[in-house]
Amino acid sequence: MAEYKSQYKELGFYVDGEFKRFSGGRFATEDEATIEALSNISDAQRVDEPKAEETPKPKQKAPAKKTSGK
């Protein structure tokens, strides 16, 4: 389920000719076409974390090598 928020309480948009609207500044959907349309709207921000796009954890750095002080 993809969840979006908007600063506008009733932001409206079209998907394949069908009018859809945020309610109370929130919108939730599982429809891929709607998710694609919402990703192109600058006033809509996704608030859930997509499971397929998890960011990999950064690799740990090797310990610093000691230099001999001659």
Side-chain angles (χ1 to χ4, degrees):
M1 171 88 48
E3 294 182 36
Y4 291 83
K5 72 174 183 173
S6 173
Q7 67 180 6
Y8 303 106
K9 298 290 181 190
E10 295 185 7
L11 177 68
F13 59 99
Y14 286 93
V15 178
D16 296 329
E18 182 181 347
F19 184 72
K20 300 188 181 237
R21 181 182 310 203
F22 280 68
S23 177
R26 296 279 182 176
F27 189 87
T29 186
E30 292 181 354
D31 181 50
E32 291 297 323
T34 304
I35 292 170
E36 179 67 27
L38 285 166
S39 68
N40 294 319
I41 297 175
S42 61
D43 291 326
Q45 296 176 342
R46 191 163 182 171
V47 293
D48 69 327
E49 292 295 322
K51 293 179 182 177
E53 298 179 16
E54 290 183 15
T55 56
K57 293 182 181 179
K59 295 180 181 178
Q60 290 184 343
K61 295 182 180 179
K65 294 181 181 179
K66 294 182 181 180
T67 58
S68 59
K70 289 186 178 180

